[in-house]
Amino acid sequence: MRIGIPNILPLFGYVFFGTLSIAMTTLFLDKFATATTGAVVFLAVFILVCYIMFVLLSYRFKIVVMTDKELIFIIPFRFKLQSFKFDNIKHLKWDLWETYKMGDYRKLVIQTSSGYLTSISDLEFINYNSLETWLINKTDLKLNLDRKLDIELQQAKWNRWLNVVAIVMFVFFFFLFSKGQLRTDIRFPIQIAIVIIIWRLLARLIQYQQKINES
């Protein structure tokens, strides 16, 4: 059995906008009576944007479970549950989800015999490769694997440069915090978090370069 593990980026956005929405609403209600009209309008618009982002992330949030016989999609905030046998899958298509500033992501579009369309992507799930492999092994479809490899190559070519930029940026932040005036008990956990992020980015960069070299 395979269960989709939420990726860090959308999960962080979900927690961030949810927390920010609650915090800013509390601040707005507390300061409403004494704040100027301009401040009230600014806070109201900012809070509205936070709630819109939270709702959009909630709308797209889904849980994927793959058993030996069926594929299950749970979309809790839309009160939807879809399940179908693997032999009901009639088409699998690989696509590139281009976000540019946030990188490119692989997406596998799934179509069933009834015409139901859904997808999984490596933007949504950190274990996308495992889900993809499980799904391929459970179907008897004639797959366009050349398209799959082409999508992986396109992603690698674009994302490797974004990873380089991100690594340089986090190295800068690491030395910035090292020279700052923060207390050690605050500075050290931040440095550890930055090192973990850099390590993860380096690992992805190596994978992208290997994919490009193989092509």
Side-chain angles (χ1 to χ4, degrees):
M1 185 173 74
R2 294 290 184 275
I3 299 176
I5 302 172
N7 210 340
I8 295 172
L9 186 60
L11 185 62
F12 173 79
Y14 187 78
V15 174
F16 175 77
F17 284 109
T19 304
L20 197 59
S21 297
I22 296 171
M24 293 305 293
T25 300
T26 303
L27 178 65
F28 179 80
L29 295 175
D30 184 53
K31 302 294 184 181
F32 179 78
T34 57
T36 62
T37 303
V40 169
V41 172
F42 173 78
L43 280 175
V45 171
F46 185 76
I47 291 169
L48 179 62
V49 170
C50 289
Y51 275 109
I52 289 173
M53 291 301 299
F54 181 72
V55 169
L56 287 174
L57 289 169
S58 298
Y59 183 81
R60 294 195 61 88
F61 179 76
K62 64 186 173 212
I63 300 167
V64 173
V65 179
M66 296 182 182
T67 68
D68 285 329
K69 296 185 179 296
E70 63 181 353
L71 178 57
I72 303 168
F73 284 91
I74 304 168
I75 311 175
F77 296 100
R78 282 186 270 170
F79 305 103
K80 290 178 65 176
L81 188 150
Q82 295 282 348
S83 64
F84 41 84
K85 305 293 184 183
F86 286 112
D87 55 12
N88 285 335
I89 297 175
K90 296 302 179 184
H91 188 61
L92 293 176
K93 179 185 177 183
W94 282 271
D95 262 322
L96 195 64
W97 193 347
E98 298 176 296
T99 61
Y100 296 105
K101 291 182 180 180
M102 291 168 44
D104 290 345
Y105 297 91
R106 288 171 291 150
K107 179 172 67 172
L108 180 57
V109 180
I110 305 163
Q111 182 177 1
T112 68
S113 55
S114 64
Y116 178 74
L117 280 173
T118 188
S119 65
I120 57 174
S121 72
D122 60 348
L123 173 61
E124 300 168 298
F125 303 107
I126 198 169
N127 62 333
Y128 168 83
N129 289 337
S130 175
L131 297 174
E132 179 190 66
T133 301
W134 185 272
L135 184 56
I136 290 173
N137 291 338
K138 294 298 179 180
T139 60
D140 297 321
L141 301 175
K142 184 178 180 181
L143 302 174
N144 186 357
L145 297 180
D146 288 339
R147 170 70 176 174
K148 174 180 179 294
L149 295 174
D150 184 56
I151 290 296
E152 292 174 353
L153 180 59
Q154 289 183 59
Q155 181 195 45
K157 285 181 175 180
W158 177 254
N159 283 9
R160 65 170 172 172
W161 298 116
L162 293 180
N163 272 39
V164 169
V165 172
I167 289 168
V168 171
M169 182 182 69
F170 278 105
V171 168
F172 171 76
F173 285 147
F174 179 86
F175 287 106
L176 185 66
F177 280 110
S178 298
K179 296 179 180 180
Q181 302 301 316
L182 291 174
R183 300 199 318 263
T184 302
D185 60 333
I186 297 176
R187 183 176 67 249
F188 185 68
I190 293 175
Q191 289 175 319
I192 293 296
I194 291 175
V195 168
I196 292 173
I197 293 171
I198 293 173
W199 170 79
R200 176 65 180 169
L201 288 170
L202 281 171
R204 292 298 294 164
L205 179 61
I206 292 171
Q207 291 173 0
Y208 289 143
Q209 192 59 52
Q210 286 175 341
K211 178 61 65 177
I212 293 169
N213 292 341
E214 289 170 3
S215 67

